[in-house]
Structure formats: C-alpha cells, structure tokens
Amino acid sequence: MTLPKYLDVKVGQAYYSIKQDNGQIILIPQVEDYFSSAGMDLRQYEDYLPEGGECHD
C-alpha cells in the first residue's frame, strides 16, 4: 500500500488493518508490547491502582 509522505510512516512498519462499513480504513501499528512501548508508568495514577489503592512491585 502506498501512503502519502506527510503521514511519516516508516518503511517496513507492520500494521493491523480494519475496514469500517462506511469505507474507512484504520491502520494500527503492530508492536510487541503496547504497554512497554507507551513509556508510561500507570502506577503513578490513582485511577489505575488496584482496589484499595495499594501498589505492589
């Protein structure tokens, strides 16, 4: 598939594709682990803590 250069897509990047009923095509980059690639430690946010608010490493 050819994509416009302004989208800045890396050559060889793999994607999951979803085609909607209205014809839209959604591309989602494939990564090994979405949580490790996010670069975000969710333990610092109360909303993501387990019941009781304790956090165990």
Side-chain angles (χ1 to χ4, degrees):
M1 176 183 287
T2 303
L3 299 172
K5 190 173 185 171
Y6 70 85
L7 292 176
D8 198 29
V9 175
K10 295 179 187 172
V11 174
Q13 170 68 51
Y15 288 86
Y16 295 107
S17 60
I18 300 169
K19 184 175 180 188
Q20 302 290 326
D21 291 337
N22 65 3
Q24 285 183 321
I25 297 173
I26 300 171
L27 299 174
I28 302 169
Q30 291 180 3
V31 297
E32 272 194 44
D33 184 353
Y34 279 100
F35 296 105
S36 68
S37 68
M40 183 174 173
D41 183 3
L42 297 178
R43 294 176 299 172
Q44 63 183 319
Y45 301 100
E46 284 184 29
D47 294 347
Y48 294 100
L49 292 178
E51 190 172 324
E54 67 278 352
C55 185
H56 304 282
D57 287 328

Coordinates of all heavy atoms in Angstrom, one line a residue:
M1 N 0.8 -1.2 0.0 CA 0.0 0.0 0.0 C 0.9 1.2 0.0 O 1.9 1.3 0.7 CB -0.9 0.0 1.2 CG -1.7 1.2 1.4 SD -2.7 1.3 2.9 CE -4.0 0.1 2.5
T2 N 0.6 2.2 -0.8 CA 1.3 3.4 -0.8 C 0.6 4.5 0.0 O -0.6 4.6 -0.1 CB 1.4 3.9 -2.3 OG1 2.0 2.9 -3.1 CG2 2.2 5.2 -2.4
L3 N 1.3 5.1 0.9 CA 0.7 6.1 1.8 C 1.4 7.5 1.5 O 2.6 7.5 1.1 CB 0.9 5.8 3.2 CG 0.2 4.5 3.7 CD1 0.7 4.1 5.1 CD2 -1.3 4.6 3.6
P4 N 0.7 8.6 1.7 CA 1.3 9.9 1.5 C 2.5 10.1 2.4 O 2.5 9.7 3.5 CB 0.2 10.9 1.8 CG -1.0 10.1 1.8 CD -0.7 8.7 2.1
K5 N 3.5 10.8 1.9 CA 4.8 11.1 2.6 C 4.5 11.9 3.9 O 5.2 11.7 4.9 CB 5.8 11.8 1.7 CG 7.1 11.9 2.3 CD 8.1 12.5 1.3 CE 9.5 12.5 1.9 NZ 10.5 12.8 0.9
Y6 N 3.5 12.8 3.8 CA 3.3 13.6 5.0 C 2.8 12.8 6.2 O 2.8 13.3 7.4 CB 2.3 14.7 4.7 CG 0.8 14.3 4.5 CD1 -0.1 14.1 5.5 CD2 0.4 14.0 3.2 CE1 -1.4 13.7 5.3 CE2 -0.9 13.6 3.0 CZ -1.8 13.4 4.0 OH -3.1 13.1 3.8
L7 N 2.4 11.6 6.0 CA 2.0 10.7 7.2 C 3.2 10.2 8.0 O 3.1 9.7 9.1 CB 1.1 9.5 6.7 CG -0.3 9.9 6.2 CD1 -1.0 8.6 5.7 CD2 -1.1 10.6 7.3
D8 N 4.4 10.4 7.4 CA 5.6 10.0 8.0 C 5.6 8.5 8.6 O 6.0 8.3 9.7 CB 5.9 11.0 9.2 CG 7.4 10.9 9.6 OD1 8.3 10.6 8.7 OD2 7.7 11.2 10.8
V9 N 5.2 7.6 7.7 CA 5.2 6.2 8.1 C 6.5 5.6 7.7 O 7.0 5.8 6.6 CB 4.0 5.5 7.3 CG1 4.0 4.0 7.6 CG2 2.7 6.1 7.7
K10 N 7.1 4.8 8.7 CA 8.3 4.2 8.4 C 8.2 3.0 7.4 O 7.2 2.2 7.5 CB 8.9 3.6 9.7 CG 9.3 4.6 10.7 CD 9.8 4.0 12.0 CE 10.0 5.0 13.1 NZ 10.3 4.4 14.4
V11 N 9.1 2.9 6.5 CA 9.1 1.8 5.5 C 9.3 0.5 6.3 O 10.1 0.4 7.2 CB 10.2 2.0 4.5 CG1 10.3 0.8 3.6 CG2 10.0 3.2 3.7
G12 N 8.4 -0.5 6.0 CA 8.5 -1.8 6.7 C 7.7 -1.9 8.0 O 7.6 -3.0 8.5
Q13 N 7.1 -0.8 8.4 CA 6.3 -0.9 9.7 C 5.1 -1.7 9.4 O 4.4 -1.6 8.4 CB 5.9 0.5 10.1 CG 4.8 0.6 11.2 CD 5.3 0.1 12.5 OE1 6.3 0.6 13.0 NE2 4.6 -0.8 13.1
A14 N 4.8 -2.7 10.2 CA 3.6 -3.6 10.1 C 2.4 -3.0 10.8 O 2.6 -2.3 11.9 CB 3.9 -4.9 10.7
Y15 N 1.2 -3.1 10.2 CA 0.0 -2.6 10.8 C -1.1 -3.6 10.8 O -1.1 -4.5 10.0 CB -0.5 -1.4 9.9 CG 0.4 -0.2 10.1 CD1 1.5 0.0 9.3 CD2 0.0 0.8 11.0 CE1 2.3 1.1 9.4 CE2 0.8 2.0 11.1 CZ 1.9 2.1 10.3 OH 2.7 3.2 10.5
Y16 N -2.0 -3.5 11.8 CA -3.3 -4.2 11.7 C -4.2 -3.3 10.9 O -4.1 -2.1 11.1 CB -3.9 -4.4 13.1 CG -3.0 -5.3 14.0 CD1 -2.3 -4.8 15.0 CD2 -3.0 -6.7 13.8 CE1 -1.5 -5.6 15.8 CE2 -2.2 -7.5 14.6 CZ -1.5 -7.0 15.6 OH -0.7 -7.8 16.4
S17 N -5.1 -3.8 10.1 CA -6.0 -3.0 9.4 C -7.4 -3.4 9.7 O -7.7 -4.5 9.9 CB -5.7 -3.2 7.9 OG -5.9 -4.5 7.5
I18 N -8.3 -2.4 9.7 CA -9.7 -2.6 10.0 C -10.4 -1.7 8.9 O -10.1 -0.6 8.7 CB -10.1 -2.0 11.4 CG1 -9.3 -2.8 12.5 CG2 -11.5 -2.2 11.6 CD1 -9.4 -2.1 13.8
K19 N -11.4 -2.4 8.3 CA -12.2 -1.7 7.3 C -13.6 -1.5 7.9 O -14.3 -2.4 8.2 CB -12.3 -2.4 6.0 CG -13.0 -1.6 4.9 CD -13.0 -2.2 3.6 CE -13.8 -1.4 2.6 NZ -14.0 -2.0 1.3
Q20 N -14.0 -0.2 8.0 CA -15.3 0.1 8.5 C -16.4 -0.1 7.5 O -16.1 -0.1 6.3 CB -15.3 1.5 9.1 CG -14.3 1.8 10.1 CD -14.6 1.2 11.4 OE1 -15.7 1.0 11.8 NE2 -13.6 0.8 12.1
D21 N -17.6 -0.2 7.9 CA -18.8 -0.3 7.0 C -18.9 0.9 6.0 O -19.3 0.8 4.9 CB -20.1 -0.4 7.7 CG -20.2 -1.8 8.4 OD1 -19.5 -2.7 8.0 OD2 -21.0 -1.9 9.4
N22 N -18.4 2.1 6.5 CA -18.5 3.3 5.7 C -17.3 3.5 4.7 O -17.2 4.5 4.1 CB -18.6 4.5 6.6 CG -17.4 4.8 7.4 OD1 -16.4 4.1 7.3 ND2 -17.5 5.8 8.3
G23 N -16.4 2.5 4.7 CA -15.3 2.5 3.8 C -14.0 3.0 4.4 O -12.9 2.9 3.7
Q24 N -14.0 3.5 5.6 CA -12.8 4.0 6.3 C -11.9 2.8 6.5 O -12.4 1.7 6.8 CB -13.1 4.6 7.6 CG -13.7 6.0 7.5 CD -13.9 6.6 8.9 OE1 -14.3 5.9 9.8 NE2 -13.6 7.8 9.1
I25 N -10.6 3.0 6.3 CA -9.6 2.0 6.7 C -8.8 2.6 7.8 O -8.2 3.7 7.7 CB -8.7 1.7 5.4 CG1 -9.6 1.1 4.3 CG2 -7.6 0.7 5.8 CD1 -8.9 0.9 3.0
I26 N -8.7 1.8 8.9 CA -7.9 2.2 10.1 C -6.7 1.3 10.1 O -6.8 0.1 10.0 CB -8.8 2.0 11.3 CG1 -10.0 2.9 11.2 CG2 -8.0 2.4 12.6 CD1 -11.1 2.7 12.3
L27 N -5.5 2.0 10.3 CA -4.3 1.3 10.4 C -3.8 1.5 11.9 O -3.6 2.6 12.4 CB -3.2 1.8 9.5 CG -3.6 1.7 8.0 CD1 -2.6 2.4 7.1 CD2 -3.7 0.2 7.6
I28 N -3.5 0.3 12.5 CA -3.0 0.4 13.9 C -1.6 -0.3 13.9 O -1.4 -1.4 13.5 CB -3.9 -0.4 14.9 CG1 -5.3 0.2 14.8 CG2 -3.3 -0.4 16.3 CD1 -6.4 -0.6 15.5
P29 N -0.5 0.5 14.3 CA 0.8 -0.1 14.3 C 0.9 -1.4 15.1 O 0.4 -1.4 16.2 CB 1.7 1.0 14.8 CG 0.9 2.2 14.8 CD -0.5 1.8 14.8
Q30 N 1.6 -2.3 14.6 CA 1.9 -3.6 15.3 C 3.1 -3.3 16.2 O 4.2 -2.9 15.6 CB 2.1 -4.7 14.4 CG 0.9 -5.2 13.7 CD 1.1 -6.4 12.8 OE1 2.2 -6.9 12.7 NE2 0.1 -6.8 12.0
V31 N 3.1 -3.6 17.4 CA 4.2 -3.5 18.3 C 4.2 -4.8 19.2 O 3.1 -5.4 19.4 CB 4.2 -2.3 19.2 CG1 4.4 -1.0 18.4 CG2 3.0 -2.2 20.1
E32 N 5.3 -5.2 19.7 CA 5.4 -6.4 20.5 C 4.6 -6.3 21.8 O 3.9 -7.1 22.2 CB 6.8 -6.8 20.9 CG 7.4 -7.6 19.8 CD 8.7 -8.3 20.3 OE1 8.8 -8.8 21.4 OE2 9.7 -8.3 19.5
D33 N 4.7 -5.1 22.5 CA 4.0 -4.9 23.8 C 3.6 -3.5 23.9 O 4.5 -2.6 24.1 CB 5.0 -5.3 24.9 CG 4.3 -5.2 26.3 OD1 3.1 -4.7 26.4 OD2 4.9 -5.6 27.2
Y34 N 2.3 -3.2 23.7 CA 1.9 -1.8 23.7 C 2.2 -1.1 25.1 O 2.4 0.1 25.1 CB 0.3 -1.7 23.5 CG 0.0 -1.8 22.0 CD1 -0.5 -3.0 21.5 CD2 0.1 -0.7 21.3 CE1 -0.8 -3.0 20.1 CE2 -0.2 -0.7 19.9 CZ -0.7 -1.9 19.4 OH -1.0 -1.9 18.0
F35 N 2.2 -1.9 26.2 CA 2.4 -1.3 27.5 C 3.8 -0.9 27.7 O 4.1 0.1 28.3 CB 1.9 -2.2 28.6 CG 0.4 -2.4 28.5 CD1 -0.1 -3.6 28.0 CD2 -0.5 -1.4 28.9 CE1 -1.5 -3.8 27.9 CE2 -1.8 -1.6 28.8 CZ -2.3 -2.8 28.3
S36 N 4.8 -1.7 27.2 CA 6.2 -1.3 27.3 C 6.6 -0.2 26.4 O 7.4 0.6 26.7 CB 7.1 -2.5 27.1 OG 7.1 -2.9 25.8
S37 N 5.9 -0.1 25.2 CA 6.3 1.0 24.3 C 5.7 2.3 24.6 O 6.0 3.3 24.1 CB 5.9 0.5 22.9 OG 4.5 0.5 22.7
A38 N 4.7 2.3 25.5 CA 4.0 3.5 25.8 C 4.9 4.5 26.6 O 4.7 5.7 26.6 CB 2.7 3.3 26.6
G39 N 5.9 3.9 27.3 CA 6.8 4.8 28.1 C 6.1 5.5 29.3 O 6.5 6.6 29.6
M40 N 5.1 4.8 29.8 CA 4.3 5.5 30.8 C 4.0 4.5 32.0 O 3.6 3.4 31.7 CB 2.9 5.9 30.2 CG 2.0 6.6 31.1 SD 0.6 7.2 30.1 CE -0.4 7.8 31.4
D41 N 4.3 4.9 33.2 CA 4.1 4.1 34.3 C 2.8 4.5 34.9 O 2.6 5.5 35.6 CB 5.2 4.4 35.4 CG 5.1 3.5 36.6 OD1 4.2 2.6 36.6 OD2 5.9 3.6 37.5
L42 N 1.8 3.6 34.7 CA 0.4 3.9 35.1 C 0.2 3.8 36.6 O -0.8 4.2 37.2 CB -0.6 2.9 34.4 CG -0.6 3.1 32.9 CD1 -1.6 2.1 32.3 CD2 -1.1 4.5 32.5
R43 N 1.2 3.2 37.3 CA 1.1 3.0 38.7 C 1.1 4.4 39.5 O 0.6 4.5 40.6 CB 2.2 2.2 39.3 CG 2.2 0.7 38.8 CD 3.4 0.0 39.2 NE 4.6 0.6 38.7 CZ 5.8 0.3 39.0 NH1 6.0 -0.7 39.9 NH2 6.8 0.9 38.5
Q44 N 1.5 5.4 38.8 CA 1.5 6.7 39.5 C 0.2 7.4 39.5 O 0.0 8.4 40.2 CB 2.5 7.6 38.8 CG 2.2 7.9 37.3 CD 3.2 8.8 36.6 OE1 3.7 9.7 37.2 NE2 3.5 8.4 35.4
Y45 N -0.8 6.9 38.8 CA -2.1 7.5 38.8 C -3.1 6.7 39.6 O -3.3 5.5 39.4 CB -2.6 7.6 37.3 CG -1.7 8.3 36.4 CD1 -0.8 7.7 35.6 CD2 -1.7 9.7 36.5 CE1 0.1 8.5 34.8 CE2 -0.9 10.5 35.7 CZ 0.0 9.8 34.9 OH 0.9 10.6 34.1
E46 N -3.8 7.3 40.5 CA -4.7 6.7 41.4 C -5.8 5.9 40.7 O -6.2 4.8 41.1 CB -5.4 7.7 42.3 CG -4.6 8.2 43.4 CD -5.3 9.1 44.4 OE1 -6.5 9.0 44.5 OE2 -4.7 10.0 44.9
D47 N -6.3 6.4 39.6 CA -7.3 5.7 38.8 C -6.9 4.3 38.4 O -7.8 3.5 38.1 CB -7.7 6.5 37.6 CG -8.4 7.8 37.9 OD1 -8.7 8.0 39.1 OD2 -8.5 8.7 37.0
Y48 N -5.6 4.1 38.2 CA -5.1 2.8 37.7 C -4.7 1.9 38.8 O -4.2 0.8 38.6 CB -4.0 3.0 36.7 CG -4.5 3.7 35.5 CD1 -4.3 5.0 35.3 CD2 -5.2 3.0 34.5 CE1 -4.7 5.7 34.1 CE2 -5.6 3.6 33.3 CZ -5.4 5.0 33.2 OH -5.9 5.6 32.0
L49 N -4.7 2.3 40.1 CA -4.3 1.4 41.2 C -5.4 0.4 41.4 O -6.6 0.6 41.2 CB -4.1 2.3 42.4 CG -2.9 3.2 42.4 CD1 -2.8 4.1 43.6 CD2 -1.6 2.5 42.1
P50 N -4.9 -0.8 41.9 CA -5.9 -1.8 42.2 C -6.8 -1.4 43.4 O -6.5 -0.4 44.1 CB -5.0 -3.0 42.7 CG -3.7 -2.5 42.9 CD -3.6 -1.2 42.2
E51 N -7.9 -2.1 43.6 CA -8.8 -1.8 44.7 C -8.1 -1.7 46.0 O -7.2 -2.4 46.3 CB -9.9 -2.9 44.8 CG -11.0 -2.6 45.7 CD -12.1 -3.6 45.6 OE1 -12.4 -4.1 44.5 OE2 -12.7 -3.8 46.7
G52 N -8.4 -0.6 46.7 CA -7.7 -0.3 48.0 C -6.6 0.7 47.8 O -6.1 1.2 48.7
G53 N -6.2 0.9 46.5 CA -5.2 1.9 46.2 C -3.7 1.5 46.5 O -2.8 2.3 46.3
E54 N -3.5 0.3 46.9 CA -2.1 -0.2 47.1 C -1.4 -0.5 45.8 O -2.1 -0.9 44.8 CB -2.1 -1.3 48.1 CG -2.6 -2.6 47.5 CD -4.2 -2.7 47.7 OE1 -4.8 -1.9 48.3 OE2 -4.7 -3.7 47.1
C55 N -0.2 -0.3 45.8 CA 0.6 -0.6 44.5 C 1.8 -1.6 44.9 O 2.5 -1.2 45.8 CB 1.1 0.7 43.9 SG 2.0 0.4 42.4
H56 N 1.8 -2.7 44.3 CA 2.9 -3.7 44.6 C 3.8 -3.8 43.4 O 3.4 -4.0 42.3 CB 2.3 -5.1 44.9 CG 1.3 -5.0 46.0 ND1 1.6 -4.9 47.3 CD2 -0.1 -5.0 46.0 CE1 0.6 -4.9 48.1 NE2 -0.5 -4.9 47.3
D57 N 5.1 -3.8 43.6 CA 6.1 -4.0 42.5 C 6.4 -5.5 42.3 O 6.3 -6.3 43.1 CB 7.4 -3.3 42.8 CG 7.2 -1.8 42.6 OD1 6.3 -1.4 41.8 OD2 7.8 -1.0 43.3

